[in-house]
Amino acid sequence: MAKDAIVLLKEDHKAMRKLFRQFEKAGADAKATKDRVARQIIEELTVHTYLENECMYPEVRRLLPEVEDDVLESYEEHHVADLLVMELVPMTWKDERFVAKATVLIENVEHHIEEEEQDWFPKVREGLSRTQLREIGAELAAAKETAPRRPEQPSALKKTLDAVIA
Ligand SMILES: [Fe+2]
Ligand SMILES: [Fe+2]
């Protein structure tokens, strides 16, 4: 049986938080570690953003129109994270701004994860049935198989590029 969509997304959040802590714990000398962990953060975030933007948010918006404002705010928060990711990708630990940029990305994403878990997920759980959440969970699991893992893949930052270029 498919996992509940919220359970699945919370597992992703947990994995990201673990990477955030690894990034922070790596001392100022562990530049190469910070670089490696930042790449992992970017990969996790790229997959997760794709799942939420392309599947979770549109599905919930369709089924539960009363949470539309939260969905719209989420798109904007992901958009800010996407912009930071695009700036971080070409950087290495040798860049003066690398750690600062990654730290701001982490702070932004932590804030967003917090809002989802404290505020948005409870509303969605309240508004949708277990069956609906499992159906979305199955869609998320399927989308994960083909999700982009690198932000420069065309399907990854589609919304960001649309917003910047359009
Ligand atoms: Fe999100
Ligand atoms: Fe999320």
Side-chain angles (χ1 to χ4, degrees), residues 9-10 12-13 16 48 52 57 78 112-113 116 121:
L9 293 173
K10 275 190 175 171
D12 275 9
H13 289 175
M16 271 187 280
H48 187 73
E52 291 191 335
Y57 296 154
H78 276 273
H112 174 68
I113 285 177
E116 284 190 330
F121 287 163

Side-chain angles (χ1 to χ4, degrees), residues 10-160:
K10 275 190 175 171
E11 286 174 1
D12 275 9
H13 289 175
K14 199 175 164 194
M16 271 187 280
R17 282 201 178 101
K18 201 171 156 201
L19 290 170
F20 294 165
R21 296 295 84 80
Q22 280 178 27
F23 184 89
E24 289 161 355
K25 265 198 248 152
D29 300 337
K31 298 255 166 62
T33 306
K34 281 198 190 287
D35 203 311
R36 181 177 51 77
V37 177
R39 306 290 143 211
Q40 287 176 277
I41 288 172
I42 289 170
E43 183 174 326
E44 283 278 338
L45 198 53
T46 302
V47 174
H48 187 73
T49 298
Y50 179 83
L51 297 184
E52 291 191 335
N53 279 355
E54 303 298 327
C55 180
M56 183 69 175
Y57 296 154
E59 280 295 335
V60 174
R61 191 179 182 184
R62 185 174 64 81
L63 296 165
L64 210 59
E66 56 267 46
V67 302
E68 176 155 72
D69 287 353
D70 293 317
V71 171
L72 291 174
E73 189 182 325
S74 285
Y75 279 131
E76 293 308 318
E77 289 183 347
H78 276 273
H79 177 61
V80 171
D82 286 349
L83 293 174
L84 292 168
V85 164
M86 287 209 298
E87 293 177 343
L88 194 59
V89 165
M91 288 186 179
T92 70
W93 58 271
K94 289 179 184 145
D95 281 278
E96 185 186 55
R97 296 166 72 178
F98 167 73
V99 171
K101 184 80 70 187
T103 302
V104 171
L105 174 66
I106 289 171
E107 284 170 359
N108 267 274
V109 174
E110 288 228 279
H111 162 81
H112 174 68
I113 285 177
E114 194 79 2
E115 269 189 2
E116 284 190 330
E117 294 195 352
Q118 301 303 318
D119 186 42
W120 196 62
F121 287 163
K123 286 187 204 168
V124 174
R125 186 168 293 294
E126 172 93 29
L128 298 184
S129 69
R130 289 183 74 82
T131 308
Q132 284 174 315
L133 283 170
R134 285 215 184 97
E135 279 166 5
I136 303 173
E139 284 175 43
L140 289 173
K144 204 167 194 174
E145 299 292 315
T146 56
R149 313 203 76 80
R150 286 176 295 109
E152 57 272 32
Q153 283 174 261
S155 55
L157 294 181
K158 195 185 167 300
K159 282 199 161 49
T160 299

